[in-house]
Amino acid sequence: MPRLVAVAVPVPLLDALTYRVPEPLPLPAVGARVRVPLGPRQLTGCVVAHPSEPPSSGELKDITAVIDDQALLPAGVVDLCQWVAEYYLAGIGDAIGAALPPGAAQRPSAFKTRRVAVATVQGLSALGVTDSGLTQKQRAALDLVAAAGGLDQRELSERGASRDVVARLVALSLVTWRHDQVERDPFPHAAAAPASRDEERELTPEQAAAVSALSDRVAAGFHVALLHGVTGSGKTEIYLRVADLVRQSGRQVLLMVPEIALTPSVAAFLRDVFGDRVAIQHSGLSTGERHDQWHRIRRGEVDVVVGTRSPVFAPLPRLGLVIVDEEHDTSYKQDEAPRYHGRDVAIVRASRENALVVLGSATPSMESYHHALSGKYQLLTLSKRVLDRPLASVRIVNMREEYAAEGPDVVLSRLLVESIEARLEKKEQVVVLLNRRGYATSVMCRQCGDTFDCPNCSISLTVHRAPRGWRARCHYCNHAVLVPKSCRKCAAPYLEHVGFGTERVEEHLATRFPHAQIGRVDRDSVRRKGALTSLLSRFAAGELDILVGTQMIAKGHDFPRVTLVGVISADVGLGMADFRSAERTFQLLTQVAGRAGRGEQPGEAIVQTLYPEHYSVQLACRQDYAGFFERELAFRKGLRYPPIVALVNAVVRGRSLEDATHVADLVAARVLKADAGRTFTVLRPAPAPLTKLRGEHRAQLFLKGSHRGHMRRALQDALEEMPEVRRRVVVDVDPLSVL
Ligand code: ADP
Ligand code: ZN
């Protein structure tokens, strides 16, 4: 019997590689990490199988070391990764990489203990004296170490304490290295608005019915339920009750949320109910925190994992329930390899582990609702808010009329201004949404019409306010320049800011309501760790009157004092060349309107738009989900888009558009040839909407059909025949965005 292992290595697009395990090394388990040679390099890989035969070709090499004497990844998770690699046409190394704890593939020695710097007794006393003889840098580093109580070298460097400075402090015995096994508690970052929960509150009749239906399914094997509950209908309470039942039955719970910082109350509630048997996993945590949490889960110390996308791979051995909150949210789809959808992987995982799945949303994705209507999923509906609170009433402002009356520069309509004023007087709070960050959408010369475009991408640069003047930045590649005083082409000094984003809305609000406290939430304003939490908790505490922001403020929040939601422009998403743009618009408008009137006072939403008659605007204003679904499904049927058919997208990158299109044509031809039975359609390759991105030109092709398996295989075969272009092709199975 040969001692062979198939190893997933962290190299894109590669299949598992077979190695021999030389004596006297022990045969590593599936899920254990090993060191292997690949070309001139030594890599850390993960064993995914024990092949009985060596591959027919190629020289067989030996692994160099076994890192884990037991499986690091449970075998079930390794299997799940193999499914992901196959389904999404990704390399097994990428899929395994998504499941490994942070750092596990890079530094095998660093993952068991972490070396952190701590201040010694001398160090602490040196801080107390003015004349310690330390340089300014040493002093600052010592301060940092003493205050933080354990930072590793990377964290120190990130905070400005260089390796040399720390080494010097160690040499002076002011600082020492400790091998840290203390777990960092990530909850302080998460708990922005820990609303307290009444012990046993009475469920509404709809909540009770949903809990009862789900209770019947606990321990009854694989099952998917779609909980369609309007905003404020109390879905969280249902999650908690069912989670508790599952936990009592001795199985574990995975709760997935789009972004933890945006739904801090969920994490806080869970902490309340389940105490320290909860682990939290999301990208906002430091590497060290994530690493600790991962190992707590692996050691079986938790019953409940709360996390974003990647925790779908959490090493839980007894999974009984997966809840995917806001299942329609696009952040569940990973936009780099492996391009998996967290919700869909969750369902696959649950089916393999006989677990119950609850998908929750006020605006379910077209896919999930389609499955619910066809009977594949069980549909549970909450049509009313808790405590008989009404849904927000919505009014539409036709901005064409507003421009005609007030001029073309209007940002805040008269109705919106009056309504904000009225709320501020009553000390109620206001949320203002514009799903576009920055100050202006572009710069244009009024004399020659020249616009400021990104040199690397086919997109205009967004204008941001900078400490000194204006900065134009590309939101795709981050290229940034100061906006000059005059036109680069014709030298005219008439450069105009065109369009507006959240920064400009904030400015308008500040001018119009000088006494109001205004906070802004978008990717720029929350870049600093903790900034988002701080803004949200200030708003929750009533220190802010108005919160303006992008879609980040539309998600899941429960601020009872918000009685007005203003939407500056409902049209931002409608112009996108994407078949999901109506769905996105409907979801965003419904969700943001759902932030109003969640407390005792009823809520109102005001939606500004240039297309008041558009069906996604109209139906969102009536909060008519079923009506929207029907209308949108008719559109998808007509053009044969998901959920009617499945879609696979392949983007080809090239030096020029001709080059990219040419290769895309070749791929398309081979795919067609591979599909002898004509089981799907291949759309003629065309330039991608973003024809140029980060300096590369892009053409794309689509495969459309009911058989994903056929499409995947044909594309896979075609690409395998063209190894020289494989790396230039990005495949996206079930794409969410096709820009
Ligand atoms: P959803 O997620 O459906 O939008 P939440 O779960 O955030 O709604 O609940 C909305 C609010 O109603 C929360 O403040 C929650 O504490 C409260 N709530 C939930 N269930 C009940 C109930 N049965 N009685 C009273 N209040 C409830
Ligand atoms: Zn760019």
Side-chain angles (χ1 to χ4, degrees), residues 129-167:
V129 297
T130 33
D131 183 24
S132 57
L134 296 176
T135 67
Q136 219 167 351
K137 276 194 182 149
Q138 290 167 347
R139 171 91 202 185
L142 183 57
D143 264 337
L144 186 67
V145 169
L151 295 173
D152 65 22
Q153 184 61 62
R154 237 196 63 212
E155 290 166 331
L156 285 165
S157 307
E158 280 166 10
R159 290 166 176 75
S162 74
R163 201 170 278 276
D164 289 352
V165 169
V166 177

Side-chain angles (χ1 to χ4, degrees), residues 248-313:
Q248 282 169 21
S249 78
R251 294 176 82 187
Q252 296 165 309
V253 179
L254 172 63
L255 169 63
M256 296 169 68
V257 295
E259 215 165 327
I260 298 238
L262 297 176
T263 41
S265 53
V266 176
F269 278 152
L270 285 164
R271 193 55 181 276
D272 257 17
V273 180
F274 301 114
D276 58 9
R277 303 284 300 173
V278 177
I280 189 163
Q281 284 270 294
H282 66 95
S283 58
L285 300 179
S286 73
T287 308
E289 284 168 336
R290 275 196 290 159
H291 164 268
D292 290 352
Q293 294 292 317
W294 195 92
H295 284 277
R296 280 183 68 212
I297 302 168
R298 183 68 182 110
R299 290 193 300 265
E301 291 170 10
V302 305
D303 299 326
V304 181
V305 174
V306 195
T308 46
R309 184 198 320 128
S310 63
V312 73
F313 298 106

Side-chain angles (χ1 to χ4, degrees), residues 190-369:
S196 71
R197 181 166 168 273
D198 319 340
E199 266 308 294
E200 272 299 308
R201 64 158 55 120
E202 211 180 309
L203 296 179
T204 66
E206 287 183 329
Q207 281 177 319
V211 169
S212 147
L214 291 169
S215 311
D216 292 345
R217 292 292 179 171
V218 168
F222 173 60
H223 178 73
V224 184
L226 174 62
L227 180 62
H228 175 212
V230 298
T231 54
S233 57
K235 294 186 284 295
T236 313
E237 188 69 33
I238 297 174
Y239 301 155
L240 290 180
R241 303 264 175 142
V242 181
D244 203 24
L245 283 176
V246 168
R247 195 181 67 125
Q248 282 169 21
S249 78
R251 294 176 82 187
Q252 296 165 309
V253 179
L254 172 63
L255 169 63
M256 296 169 68
V257 295
E259 215 165 327
I260 298 238
L262 297 176
T263 41
S265 53
V266 176
F269 278 152
L270 285 164
R271 193 55 181 276
D272 257 17
V273 180
F274 301 114
D276 58 9
R277 303 284 300 173
V278 177
I280 189 163
Q281 284 270 294
H282 66 95
S283 58
L285 300 179
S286 73
T287 308
E289 284 168 336
R290 275 196 290 159
H291 164 268
D292 290 352
Q293 294 292 317
W294 195 92
H295 284 277
R296 280 183 68 212
I297 302 168
R298 183 68 182 110
R299 290 193 300 265
E301 291 170 10
V302 305
D303 299 326
V304 181
V305 174
V306 195
T308 46
R309 184 198 320 128
S310 63
V312 73
F313 298 106
L316 292 162
R318 301 181 311 278
L319 187 63
L321 169 67
V322 187
I323 300 163
V324 186
D325 189 25
E326 311 289 357
E327 66 85 28
H328 66 279
D329 199 283
T330 52
S331 67
Y332 285 123
K333 174 87 173 174
Q334 177 150 298
D335 58 11
E336 55 188 58
R339 293 183 153 69
Y340 68 96
H341 197 300
R343 173 200 61 213
D344 298 342
V345 176
I347 293 172
V348 170
R349 178 166 187 184
S351 79
R352 294 168 166 228
E353 304 189 22
N354 288 319
L356 171 65
V357 181
V358 179
L359 309 177
S361 177
T363 51
S365 62
M366 292 297 291
E367 283 80 358
S368 295
Y369 204 73

Side-chain angles (χ1 to χ4, degrees), residues 116-120 124 127 139-151 156 161 166 169 174-176:
V116 296
V118 288
T120 61
L124 292 174
L127 280 174
R139 171 91 202 185
L142 183 57
D143 264 337
L144 186 67
V145 169
L151 295 173
L156 285 165
V166 177
L169 293 174
L174 301 175
V175 165
T176 183

